[in-house]
Amino acid sequence: MPTVSSLLYYAAPLTPAGGDDDWCIDAVTRPPEVLFNFRKVGMETTIEDLREGGFRPSLDETGFEKVDVPTAVDQRALLDGDEGALDGYRRETGELLKSLTGADRVEFFDATVRRQDAAESGDPAAQSPHQRVHIDQSPKSARARAARHTGPGREFRRFQIINVWRPLLEPVRNFPLAVCDFRSLDLAADLVPTRLDFPEWLKDRENYSVRHNPGHRWYYWDSLSPAEALVFKCYDSASRGLASVSEDAAGGELSDVAGLCPHTAFFDENGPSTGHLRTSLELRALAFHE
């Protein structure tokens, strides 16, 4: 398979002897500055392009997969924040996730547009691609998120948090999304719970930072188009691997499925560096198996 080499930004303690017992990202003390009490360390990494070759990843095996599924929703309206368009896209994506996962119920809780141009876009609502290897949820924050969406006495045998990432309007020209094969992780050594001191309305209270491990296997799809979506796990309560390393893992029947997927945007030095480079929309969803 073709490959690219790029810096991926992992996490490390502030000092060589530093610990990882209270890593934090602080966005409330000195806004708009974001403070870290750990370092982001660029590591040159080989990333395989899955446009060619016979490898076909899947959600339960690797933690991610690509689906060829055009959207019928007006993409310009999505980009403009039209609520009717976003509701339609949620309904459409909910049916996709039920089909992919077998879930009985899907609820969305986050929608983020990211845009990158060679020059500043001037749109304060759009966020830049996130260049830090991370996982959107830890088991602790995943359980808290699920609790917010279930009523008293509501039971489920399994739940997942899944991110659906789609380019808008045109294919990604640079800053693509790289995803890491769950099977290449050392769960006990690589994942560091990281507290999120964010405004109360913004997302969740904890995610995972990721330490560098040369055994990680990274993949992407070159020039991902709006007719394609990259679907990856933030958490799966059925993962035996996650249950073995976290006291916050959910109970219930366990199996050897992928539990999560580290991911990050990256800059391809061999790709375009002028003009519009990427616009994408990501939805995070809870998928309940009842």
Side-chain angles (χ1 to χ4, degrees):
M1 287 183 286
T3 64
V4 298
S5 182
S6 179
L7 289 176
L8 298 189
Y9 291 90
Y10 283 91
L14 291 174
T15 64
D20 56 11
D21 54 339
D22 188 30
W23 285 11
C24 175
I25 302 174
D26 178 357
V28 298
T29 299
R30 293 206 301 258
E33 187 177 1
V34 179
L35 307 176
F36 294 77
N37 67 350
F38 58 93
R39 292 181 296 140
K40 291 188 289 183
V41 181
M43 304 297 296
E44 196 70 32
T45 304
T46 298
I47 309 162
E48 295 191 29
D49 179 6
L50 293 180
R51 281 291 176 203
E52 301 178 18
F55 180 40
R56 296 291 183 267
S58 67
L59 270 177
D60 277 348
E61 184 178 24
T62 59
F64 64 89
E65 65 181 273
K66 180 181 76 70
V67 291
D68 298 325
V69 54
T71 176
V73 178
D74 185 328
Q75 295 177 46
R76 177 63 66 181
L78 285 174
L79 185 58
D80 291 342
D82 181 86
E83 282 299 321
L86 187 56
D87 285 344
Y89 186 61
R90 289 190 184 106
R91 289 192 296 271
E92 185 183 83
T93 306
E95 292 305 310
L96 168 67
L97 289 178
K98 288 179 182 178
S99 174
L100 284 176
T101 68
D104 299 289
R105 179 166 59 100
V106 172
E107 294 191 17
F108 294 94
F109 63 91
D110 184 44
T112 302
V113 170
R114 298 189 187 274
R115 178 184 294 145
Q116 185 65 44
D117 298 283
E120 291 294 328
S121 68
D123 181 0
Q127 300 185 43
S128 296
H130 190 31
Q131 295 187 77
R132 181 177 74 93
V133 178
H134 69 287
I135 298 148
D136 295 340
Q137 256 80 27
S138 68
K140 179 179 179 181
S141 68
R143 293 288 294 173
R145 172 56 65 178
R148 293 175 63 179
H149 293 260
T150 54
R154 188 75 179 263
E155 294 184 358
F156 46 86
R157 59 184 174 83
R158 176 187 185 185
F159 81 94
Q160 301 158 297
I161 296 181
I162 297 176
N163 193 320
V164 181
W165 191 95
R166 182 191 294 274
L168 293 181
L169 302 181
E170 61 185 54
V172 173
R173 300 178 66 236
N174 212 324
F175 294 95
L177 192 71
V179 285
C180 183
D181 190 330
F182 176 79
R183 300 169 300 176
S184 68
L185 295 171
D186 182 335
L187 296 173
D190 297 346
L191 308 181
V192 182
T194 302
R195 183 164 44 88
L196 305 178
D197 285 349
F198 286 174
E200 189 59 35
W201 52 268
L202 188 64
K203 300 183 181 179
D204 294 295
R205 303 294 99 191
E206 185 175 273
N207 68 11
Y208 270 140
S209 298
V210 183
R211 291 180 179 270
H212 178 252
N213 179 336
H216 291 165
R217 296 191 297 271
W218 285 95
Y219 301 95
Y220 84 114
W221 280 266
D222 183 43
S223 301
L224 201 72
S225 80
E228 303 170 296
L230 183 50
V231 183
F232 57 93
K233 290 184 182 181
C234 306
Y235 178 76
D236 191 332
S237 69
S239 173
R240 180 178 287 113
L242 280 187
S244 71
V245 298
S246 174
E247 61 185 24
D248 293 301
E253 187 175 338
L254 300 176
S255 62
D256 292 325
V257 296
L260 43 74
C261 177
H263 55 281
T264 180
F266 72 93
F267 177 68
D268 180 1
E269 291 187 351
N270 297 316
S273 58
T274 59
H276 180 63
L277 302 177
R278 190 245 264 191
T279 298
S280 61
L281 171 63
E282 59 198 69
L283 293 184
R284 281 192 293 162
L286 286 149
F288 292 103
H289 302 249
E290 299 176 337

